[in-house]
Amino acid sequence: QHDSGRVAETFTAAVRKWGMCVFTSAGNDGPALSSLGSPGALSAPICVGAYVSPAMMAEQYSMLPVADVSGASYSFSSRGPTPDGFMPSLCAPGGAIAPVPRHALQGKAQYHGTSMSSPNACGVAACVLSALKQAGLSAGPIELRRALENSARPIESEPFAQGAGLINAPAALAYALEHHGKPAQDLPFALSVPSRGGARGIYLRDAAELQGPLTFGVLVQPLFEHAATRTAAEVEELLSLELQLQLGPTAPWVTTPASMVLLSAKERGGQTFTVRLDPSTLPPGAHFAAVQAVDATDPARGPLFSLPITVVIPHAISPPPLIA
């Protein structure tokens, strides 16, 4: 079960109770799909995959330039989706040349892995927070995460290791400054698909599910803390929540309603919208889409939440000829 156990409880408490922005490595078990493991597969921390740029390829690995490569995920970076459809959050440079302990008898060493990308992203977040502080503002973990994800630059690579894309410090700061204080900007949302055991996304790969259209209900829950722990202003925000949302799929084989109204709700409450998938026309291979919900009155804020959808269409393999 996702988000269960002591480790998951600690990460969730760090973010939602103690106000910490937590980063974790995606892991180095790629390139296979569904190789993302704990703690990267948990909902609370920001899961960071490893990215390599053409400049890194040349300087760190002495590779010859390739004309049609503009940057990609490292092959070892763990990929989503998890069995319940969850994906990494971001990607960041996954190689580094750094000092090593003197007893190693060398000044520096070169490393690569998601253990490089996660601290890189954490450092970017620290710079954004520092710049916000100089501007007289502060941002909690949810607001900061939304700024990092909604300002990330998608890379020309398969989506399963990059999440929202390559982290971008100047764009994240500009986003945070522009949208600070807007309704629900610091409010997390939990998405689940009740008919699939509370899955956090939709992941189809069984032949029986790929023959025709399928319909799923998606539950959206705003994650307010208990009212007794909040200030009067925060309680008023909880009671007055009313978001007019536009729902938009990123692929034509996904259909959703055009909009939904999201109200404050008790724990285990929330609103539901419907997603319809038609994978019958998709060619063999792995296909990714998302349903994004944006503020209808302010679309420039980007998605307030997003439902990941993965469909894997198997290749048909002809049996070898019989040998007489």
Side-chain angles (χ1 to χ4, degrees):
Q1 180 67 28
H2 63 267
D3 289 337
S4 63
R6 183 60 179 161
V7 172
E9 292 173 359
T10 302
F11 275 116
T12 300
V15 174
R16 293 190 59 195
K17 293 183 179 180
W18 307 329
M20 300 171 61
C21 192
V22 182
F23 291 80
T24 185
S25 303
N28 303 327
D29 296 319
L33 295 184
S34 302
S35 51
L36 186 66
S38 183
L42 300 177
S43 299
I46 296 176
C47 173
V48 186
Y51 165 82
V52 59
S53 69
M56 293 170 64
M57 296 176 193
E59 297 298 328
Q60 291 187 258
Y61 306 106
S62 301
M63 294 178 62
L64 294 173
V66 180
D68 59 346
V69 173
S70 58
S73 299
Y74 275 94
S75 60
F76 58 74
S77 191
S78 293
R79 266 77 170 165
T82 60
D84 74 321
F86 190 70
M87 297 282 284
S89 310
L90 298 163
C91 63
I97 297 174
V100 295
R102 292 178 61 85
H103 64 73
L105 298 181
Q106 64 182 99
K108 297 179 181 179
Q110 177 174 286
Y111 294 95
H112 50 244
T114 55
S115 290
M116 312 298 113
S117 59
S118 180
N120 183 297
C122 188
V124 168
C127 290
V128 172
L129 288 175
S130 177
L132 287 173
K133 185 176 181 180
Q134 293 213 5
L137 301 175
S138 62
I142 305 305
E143 185 177 359
L144 177 62
R145 178 174 187 158
R146 189 159 283 137
L148 295 174
E149 292 182 348
N150 286 355
S151 64
R153 177 171 61 86
I155 59 176
E156 296 179 7
S157 178
E158 46 80 18
F160 303 104
Q162 65 169 292
L166 180 64
I167 197 167
N168 186 329
L173 174 60
Y175 179 97
L177 290 171
E178 181 178 358
H179 302 295
H180 177 74
K182 291 185 177 180
Q185 191 66 9
D186 60 349
L187 178 65
F189 299 92
L191 272 65
S192 61
V193 184
S195 64
R196 299 182 76 84
R200 295 168 292 175
I202 299 174
Y203 186 14
L204 305 180
R205 60 185 304 163
D206 294 336
E209 296 181 311
L210 302 175
Q211 301 305 312
L214 294 170
T215 301
F216 301 93
V218 181
L219 178 64
V220 183
Q221 296 171 288
L223 298 180
F224 289 104
E225 297 298 338
H226 193 279
T229 67
R230 303 174 68 88
T231 65
E234 290 170 328
V235 172
E236 186 61 31
E237 179 189 12
L238 183 157
L239 296 175
S240 62
L241 178 70
E242 183 175 336
L243 293 174
Q244 306 289 333
L245 300 176
Q246 290 179 344
L247 300 178
T250 61
W253 45 273
V254 182
T255 305
T256 66
S259 63
M260 72 176 297
V261 179
L262 187 63
L263 307 173
S264 59
K266 295 181 180 179
E267 200 74 20
R268 304 183 186 278
Q271 276 81 41
T272 301
F273 68 91
T274 303
V275 176
R276 187 172 180 82
L277 311 180
D278 186 2
S280 60
T281 60
L282 296 177
H287 304 270
F288 178 78
V291 176
Q292 297 178 336
V294 301
D295 185 347
T297 65
D298 189 6
R301 293 170 65 186
L304 295 181
F305 58 81
S306 181
L307 176 77
I309 302 171
T310 303
V311 175
V312 177
I313 306 294
H315 289 263
I317 300 177
S318 302
L322 296 177
I323 299 177

